[in-house]
Amino acid sequence: TQLLEQSPQFLSIQEGENLTVYCNSSSVFSSLQWYRQEPGEGPVLLVTVVTGGEVKKLKRLTFQFGDARKDSSLHITAAQPGDTGLYLCASEGGTSYGKLTFGQGTILTVHP
Amino acid sequence: SAVISQKPSRDICQRGTSLTIQCQVDSQVTMMFWYRQQPGQSLTLIATANQGSEATYESGFVIDKFPISRPNLTFSTLTVSNMSPEDSSIYLCSVERGGVTGASGAFFGQGTRLTVV
């Protein structure tokens, strides 16, 4: 089972600030997913990165996949209180897309 | 996208009792997955449920504690047996996004918040 190290565990920032969350592994990812989870809900997929060096943007969120496919980052520009939640990176195991190993998660709180 | 409904959404149970969580999907899927999310933590896969065969459990999880049923391609149940306070967690079911599209990742239900007292 691939181990994912996610950091930081907690982030508390003011509205308008930028932030970056990191996800690393000692082994190569076949692909890497980022999810966001709000209280009382299940995780919702934000993006999947597959190609080394890939950069994907989703409004104010920028996702990067390392060239060696061992690390990924999520950068949020000008954070808003609506960005508050638990952010999770995950990798797929075996032959099933739904069998996921998750990082420890980053609890983000954006204060107005 | 798949719509996944879980019941109950939350429950408070006495130690030593069992709770069965239901998961209903709005389309037929080959595999369903059950995860546990302990308070303030990330998700850990409990087992994979295939229709017509026994569930496959991950290390640290056993069938006697977490029996799973998968009677058809749209429904599954997870039972948490002989509960103790350590079983207090959020339990989530999920399905693959892919199917014929081959998309990676998963859809999740809203979770069942279990508190054992």
Side-chain angles (χ1 to χ4, degrees):
Chain A
T1 303
Q2 188 166 24
L3 295 178
L4 281 70
E5 293 184 4
Q6 191 174 337
S7 63
Q9 188 175 355
F10 300 97
L11 265 177
S12 181
I13 62 173
Q14 293 298 124
E15 182 175 2
E17 293 183 358
N18 302 331
L19 66 110
T20 302
V21 179
Y22 301 92
C23 184
N24 300 290
S25 174
S26 58
S27 52
V28 174
F29 295 115
S30 57
S31 67
L32 195 287
Q33 299 156 26
W34 287 94
Y35 291 81
R36 178 167 170 258
Q37 184 181 22
E38 297 188 56
E41 301 293 331
V44 175
L45 180 67
L46 297 173
V47 77
T48 301
V49 286
V50 178
T51 306
E54 185 175 10
V55 177
K56 285 190 173 180
K57 292 193 174 184
L58 185 65
K59 297 184 181 178
R60 293 176 293 100
L61 279 61
T62 301
F63 304 87
Q64 291 188 304
F65 202 19
D67 291 340
R69 290 161 49 215
K70 290 185 176 182
D71 60 276
S72 180
S73 65
L74 157 61
H75 183 79
I76 301 179
T77 303
Q80 300 176 359
D83 295 326
T84 294
L86 174 65
Y87 289 81
L88 297 153
C89 63
S91 65
E92 294 163 342
T95 58
S96 169
Y97 287 138
K99 188 174 178 180
L100 301 174
T101 299
F102 285 87
Q104 301 96 319
T106 297
I107 298 175
L108 171 64
T109 304
V110 183
H111 301 280
Chain B
S1 65
V3 176
I4 304 173
S5 301
Q6 273 187 245
K7 291 181 182 179
S9 58
R10 58 176 62 230
D11 207 343
I12 301 173
C13 299
Q14 295 291 323
R15 66 178 68 199
T17 63
S18 298
L19 175 71
T20 295
I21 302 167
Q22 299 179 6
C23 181
Q24 179 75 52
V25 189
D26 68 343
S27 57
Q28 293 185 342
V29 292
T30 304
M31 285 184 279
M32 296 176 74
F33 305 88
W34 288 98
Y35 289 84
R36 181 176 72 182
Q37 186 173 26
Q38 294 178 297
Q41 300 200 17
S42 186
L43 284 75
T44 301
L45 181 64
I46 297 172
T48 303
N50 286 329
Q51 194 270 333
S53 63
E54 282 199 4
T56 304
Y57 289 83
E58 298 299 308
S59 175
F61 298 97
V62 295
I63 188 171
D64 289 345
K65 177 66 176 178
F66 298 102
I68 288 172
S69 78
R70 184 77 202 277
N72 58 54
L73 290 173
T74 63
F75 187 79
S76 179
T77 68
L78 170 76
T79 299
V80 186
S81 302
N82 188 25
M83 289 183 285
S84 67
E86 292 71 34
D87 294 319
S88 297
S89 294
I90 299 172
Y91 293 86
L92 301 112
C93 70
S94 77
V95 303
E96 295 176 303
R97 290 169 57 88
V100 296
T101 68
S104 61
F107 293 110
F108 287 85
Q110 81 275 23
T112 297
R113 181 179 292 273
L114 170 63
T115 302
V116 183
V117 298

